[in-house]
Amino acid sequence: MAAVSLSVSTVKPLGDRVFVKVSASEEKTAGGLYLPDTAKEKPQVGEVVSIGDGKFKDDGSRMSMDVKVGDKVLYSKYAGTDIKLGTDEYVLLSEKDILAIVS
C-alpha cells in the first residue's frame, strides 16, 4: 500500500463538507489559573481553509455554500472528524454542522 502525504493544500472536501482549522484552546482561566491538557475543552471556533463544491439538488444542479475560505465559524461541539496535520488540528465537517459565521 502506498503512503499518502497529507497537507492542507492536498485536502479537498467533497459535497457540502468544510475543512476547518481549529482555533487554539484557552491556556488559562479568567482568574489566571493555567489549565492542564486534560481540563481543556475542545474549541468550537475555527477558520475555514477549504470547502467542497456544494450538495446536489434534486434537479442535478449544485447548491451554493454559505461559507467561504477565510470565514471564522462556530460549529457544533461533537461534529465532524478530527484530523491532525503536523502540529495543527483540523476538523472536517458538514456545512449543516456550522452554527454561525463569527465576525
Side-chain angles (χ1 to χ4, degrees), residues 8-23:
V8 176
S9 60
T10 60
V11 176
K12 172 69 174 156
L14 299 176
D16 68 337
R17 289 189 176 74
V18 180
F19 197 53
V20 175
K21 182 176 182 182
V22 177
S23 296

Side-chain angles (χ1 to χ4, degrees), residues 9 12 22 38 41 52 56 58 64 66 76 91 93 101:
S9 60
K12 172 69 174 156
V22 177
T38 56
E41 286 191 29
F56 281 107
D58 290 335
S64 64
D66 290 331
S76 298
V91 63
L93 48 95
I101 297 174

